[in-house]
Amino acid sequence: MTMSSALVESIKRRAADEAERTTYPAGFPVLPPVPAARYADAGFAALEADAVFGRSWLMVAHVDELPVPGSYRRVDQIDRPVVLVRGDDGTVRAFSNTCKHRGAALVRDDAGTVGRRLTCPYHNWVYALDGTLVGYPEAHNFADLDRDCLALTPIRCATWGPLIFVNLDPDAEPLHEFLGPVADDLSELAGMEERLRLVAHHQRPVPVNWKIPVDANIETYHVNYVHKDTAARALRQPATGIQLLPKGHSRMLIGVQEGVSFASPLPTIFEGVGDLPLAGTFSYHVFPNLSIVFGGPGFLFLITNWPDGAPNRSTYHVHFCAAVPPDDSEHGSLLDVLVDVNEGVLFEDLTVLPGIQASIDAGALDAVRLSYQERRIYALHEAIDRVIGADRVPGHLRVPPVLGDHVER
Ligand code: FES
């Protein structure tokens, strides 16, 4: 199932209608203040680590980052040692990066290839690419090792086309169910493992809570100010149409300015989203930390932001993708420009975000006050409390759920 033409038209119409609205929407609740300490409190960050990052499907890599059997990539975005490995059968699997002998890390570099086997650097225990223990030196010195119980610990891992997700919860629902309407809208992605190629993957540490850059990516209130010389020249910020979706996911279209075109010579990626990528910047937020953003019909970028050891530190990742052959020469310079331009706009946010964290850390801000156009941020907070369990969230940090009637099912 892809998007119906009626849905495509309604998304465009709702963005256009927003530009005409001059009063607060009738029937929409006033959004309660969001306690600022949710961006700084160590106890709250621990709850998020357990319930949000410990039990959600998380996009951690693109298949092009593991090109051949034996390719591996450490998942350093989460606070558990996990490694992705492409097997002899082409399947990408995730394991604890933990040898079953005495716990040494099997791989220490960020990425590379191990050939046919994973070999522990400490005492040379050897594992097949599917995690099976296949041998260890001086076997006669071990009385009764049960090899079958000593395979590497598997971590839930699933692909959605070229995108690799992991989930630390062995009982999590299947990825497709978790994605819900996002997977339906972008169902073509499932067949794009060979087609949607990784153009670039950039990451950088940012001195702010993981939610602060996510917030910036899911609202447009700041576009005319932070991005006044860049994105605001192309986008019509008041024409921001938003649909809140189940499980904390959402979609957004920001209309395009008169006379601006997002057309390009790049091959169109998705037919099933109609002309939405030409109508403006069209994007999805996938709970908790993934934004899927169309930079026109032929260019897509995936933004994730990750807690990084402290409530006021995170790491920002962007995977830039296009439906072009690897090492495409025909569109190489255009792709370079698209990466530079879009990355430049994203990182303009970093001119203001550290100041927010400094204010919160100093106790100078008690709460975040959100407008209607920032309601995806409130929806994210509601979803966070939902997955943690509202009764586990201290009362002074809780957000009351008010958006239930405004989620489109
Ligand atoms: Fe891996 Fe000893 S810890 S072989």
Side-chain angles (χ1 to χ4, degrees), residues 77-89:
Q77 297 100 317
I78 53 180
D79 61 4
R80 280 262 296 275
V82 173
V83 61
L84 302 172
V85 182
R86 190 185 280 275
D88 295 316
D89 58 357

Side-chain angles (χ1 to χ4, degrees), residues 360-377:
I360 294 172
D361 287 349
L365 184 73
D366 64 334
V368 174
R369 292 160 179 87
L370 299 171
S371 68
Y372 177 70
Q373 207 181 66
E374 297 167 293
R375 63 196 183 279
R376 293 168 97 196
I377 298 174

Side-chain angles (χ1 to χ4, degrees), residues 219-372:
E219 58 95 348
T220 61
Y221 191 29
H222 70 287
V223 167
N224 285 350
Y225 313 107
V226 174
H227 307 303
K228 63 180 183 302
D229 296 322
T230 53
R233 294 186 173 181
L235 297 173
R236 193 170 164 229
Q237 180 268 340
T240 296
I242 288 170
Q243 294 88 49
L244 304 179
L245 302 172
K247 301 184 182 180
H249 310 323
S250 54
R251 326 181 176 91
M252 181 167 76
L253 173 67
I254 320 168
V256 73
Q257 295 273 22
E258 190 85 28
V260 171
S261 172
F262 286 171
S264 85
L266 289 168
T268 294
I269 300 170
F270 292 93
E271 301 293 344
V273 296
D275 61 354
L276 284 169
L278 285 170
T281 294
F282 182 54
S283 66
Y284 289 83
H285 178 69
V286 176
F287 182 82
N289 68 338
L290 167 64
S291 286
I292 303 172
V293 184
F294 285 82
F299 191 69
L300 192 74
F301 48 103
L302 307 149
I303 311 167
T304 51
N305 200 49
W306 303 87
D308 193 3
N312 58 4
R313 286 208 309 264
S314 54
T315 304
Y316 200 89
H317 287 245
V318 193
H319 289 77
F320 297 95
C321 304
V324 295
D327 304 321
D328 176 70
S329 55
E330 183 183 349
H331 304 104
S333 53
L334 171 60
L335 290 167
D336 289 345
V337 169
L338 286 170
V339 169
D340 283 351
V341 166
N342 286 289
E343 187 168 69
V345 172
L346 292 175
F347 291 159
E348 279 178 334
D349 289 338
L350 299 181
T351 59
V352 295
L353 303 189
I356 297 172
Q357 190 68 51
S359 295
I360 294 172
D361 287 349
L365 184 73
D366 64 334
V368 174
R369 292 160 179 87
L370 299 171
S371 68
Y372 177 70

Side-chain angles (χ1 to χ4, degrees), residues 98-106 119-127 135-137 142:
T98 302
C99 176
K100 283 297 185 76
H101 174 218
R102 280 170 48 202
L106 292 159
T119 302
C120 179
Y122 200 2
H123 310 95
N124 226 53
W125 281 32
V126 178
Y127 301 86
Y136 43 90
F142 289 94

